Amino acid sequence: MREYEAIQCKAQSAGNDGYPGLIESANPDNKVVGELYKIADLAHAFTILDDYEECSARFAHPHEYVRKRVWVQSGSGEPVRAWTYLYNREATQCLRIICGDYLSFLTRRN
C-alpha cells in the first residue's frame, strides 16, 4: 500500500483558516484517518463530488484536486480499494497534519 499525508491547505478567501488536503508520501509512518463509504451509484456520486472538488470537465485545468483509486486499510485492518481526492498543487506552503486526522487537528487548535 502507498502512504499518504494529511495537510492543511491555505485558504483562498478571508475568514477561512484553510481546508484539508491529501498528498502521496514516501514515508511509511504517515497515516491519514478517514471514512469509507459503500456507494451504490458511483457515476452519480462522482458527478456531484467532482463538481464539489472542482475537478470535473466544467473546471479549467490543472485541477486543484484529482480523483484517484488507492489502497487503504479498513477499520478491520483489511486492505481495500477506495476512491479519494488528492491535492494536486505544490504543498510546500501547506501545514502538515502530523496526527493525520483533520477533525482532531481542528479540535486541538481551538
Side-chain angles (χ1 to χ4, degrees):
M1 275 192 294
R2 176 98 180 155
E3 281 67 45
Y4 297 90
E5 184 173 338
I7 57 171
Q8 181 178 25
C9 308
K10 288 187 177 267
Q12 301 294 322
S13 60
N16 184 351
D17 289 334
Y19 51 93
L22 178 68
I23 59 173
E24 292 184 313
S25 172
N27 184 344
D29 293 329
N30 290 339
K31 304 291 181 211
V32 176
V33 176
E35 297 177 3
L36 286 172
Y37 296 93
K38 186 172 186 167
I39 300 172
D41 188 347
L42 279 177
H44 178 70
F46 287 153
T47 298
I48 295 167
L49 292 170
D50 287 354
D51 273 353
Y52 178 81
E53 297 295 351
E54 298 184 4
C55 65
S56 69
R58 296 177 348 130
F59 296 92
H61 286 267
H63 296 140
E64 184 174 23
Y65 286 90
V66 293
R67 178 170 30 99
K68 184 175 181 182
R69 196 157 188 215
V70 300
W71 284 101
V72 299
Q73 184 176 344
S74 71
S76 65
E78 295 296 317
V80 177
R81 295 277 285 170
W83 289 99
T84 192
Y85 289 87
L86 296 175
Y87 187 64
N88 192 38
R89 300 269 194 270
E90 180 59 48
T92 56
Q93 298 299 314
C94 297
L95 176 65
R96 182 168 176 246
I97 300 173
I98 305 293
C99 68
D101 184 335
Y102 188 68
L103 294 178
S104 177
F105 165 78
L106 290 178
T107 303
R108 289 185 205 155
R109 275 191 31 189
N110 297 328

